[in-house]
Amino acid sequence: AQTVTQSQPEMSVQEAETVTLSCTYDTSENNYYLFWYKQPPSRQMILVIRQEAYKQQNATENRFSVNFQKAAKSFSLKISDSQLGDTAMYFCAFMKDTGNQFYFGTGTSLTVIP
Amino acid sequence: SAVISQKPSRDICQRGTSLTIQCQVDSQVTMMFWYRQQPGQSLTLIATANQGSEATYESGFVIDKFPISRPNLTFSTLTVSNMSPEDSSIYLCSVGVTASYEQYFGPGTRLTVT
């Protein structure tokens, strides 16, 4: 079975600063996909960034980047130049490449402080 | 990407009644999913709904309690039957995009059972 662990229930960061959210996972699969989703108070789940396990290069989307360490089964999210709109719950998710079932972590509540 | 709408956005229901939640997608998709998110918790997959076949339920969820319909490639319903206060949750539908291995989520339905 796949498990996803987010060890930081809550985090805060000053506006314009950088913050890193941690995620580890456990799997015996070699090929899979990892995702970070954002859920603001409006509760709409929004895809932030995606990483394919077979790619060594870390994914980047504007101010969002990941540090993917396959051997360590670690997938952290770095948010640079934090903005007030980044305040949300962030979920790390895992998916095997043989199916579409997502496994979600328990989430990290991020607050950006003005 | 896909645009997903859900109806109703929220409802308050009495114990013992049933509620049907609708999920509409703006494009044809093969795989649709239903999740439950209990207050302050992560997302738990209820079932996978593929058009033309029976829904596949995850452990702990049964068809009698959560019947699902998938009449076509753009629409699905989830019914929460014989509700109890423990069913108070946010219910989200999502669609899987095979080409990108991503999932897109609807805005959710907030259900309160009194």
Side-chain angles (χ1 to χ4, degrees), chain A residues 7-49:
Chain A
S7 59
Q8 305 152 313
E10 295 181 358
M11 294 191 71
S12 61
V13 61
Q14 291 290 138
E15 193 175 7
E17 296 295 308
T18 296
V19 64
T20 299
L21 281 58
S22 300
C23 173
T24 59
Y25 56 94
D26 186 25
T27 184
S28 58
E29 302 288 325
N30 188 50
N31 295 320
Y32 48 87
Y33 297 83
L34 296 163
F35 305 84
W36 279 99
Y37 279 87
K38 166 185 175 181
Q39 188 179 41
S42 66
R43 77 172 180 259
Q44 176 78 56
M45 290 282 284
I46 302 166
L47 177 64
V48 175
I49 199 165

Side-chain angles (χ1 to χ4, degrees), chain B residues 24 47 71 83 86 89 114:
Chain B
Q24 180 76 52
M83 288 183 285
E86 292 72 33
S89 288
T114 60

Side-chain angles (χ1 to χ4, degrees), chain A residues 33 35 37 39 42-45 47 50 89 91 95-97 99-102 104-107, chain B residues 9-10 31 33 35 37 41-43 45 58 90 92 100-103 105-110:
Chain A
Y33 297 83
F35 305 84
Y37 279 87
Q39 188 179 41
S42 66
R43 77 172 180 259
Q44 176 78 56
M45 290 282 284
L47 177 64
R50 179 189 76 171
M89 183 72 82
F91 292 98
M95 187 190 79
K96 296 188 294 185
D97 75 341
N100 286 84
Q101 182 177 354
F102 272 37
F104 284 90
T106 51
Chain B
S9 60
R10 60 178 62 224
M31 306 191 78
F33 307 87
Y35 291 85
Q37 186 178 24
Q41 303 296 315
S42 185
L43 284 74
L45 182 64
E58 297 301 307
I90 296 171
L92 300 103
S100 63
Y101 296 95
E102 296 170 358
Q103 282 194 17
F105 288 81
T109 295
R110 182 182 295 275

Side-chain angles (χ1 to χ4, degrees), chain B residues 7-56:
Chain B
K7 290 181 181 179
S9 60
R10 60 178 62 224
D11 207 340
I12 301 173
C13 301
Q14 290 193 341
R15 180 197 301 262
T17 63
S18 298
L19 176 72
T20 295
I21 302 168
Q22 299 179 5
C23 179
Q24 180 76 52
V25 189
D26 68 342
S27 57
Q28 294 185 337
V29 294
T30 302
M31 306 191 78
M32 294 181 77
F33 307 87
W34 287 98
Y35 291 85
R36 182 173 72 183
Q37 186 178 24
Q38 294 181 306
Q41 303 296 315
S42 185
L43 284 74
T44 301
L45 182 64
I46 298 172
T48 301
N50 293 337
Q51 195 271 337
S53 62
E54 294 286 328
T56 303

Side-chain angles (χ1 to χ4, degrees), chain A residues 3 20 32 55 73 77 84 102 108:
Chain A
T3 59
T20 299
Y32 48 87
K55 289 187 177 179
K73 297 180 181 176
L77 174 69
L84 297 179
F102 272 37
T108 296

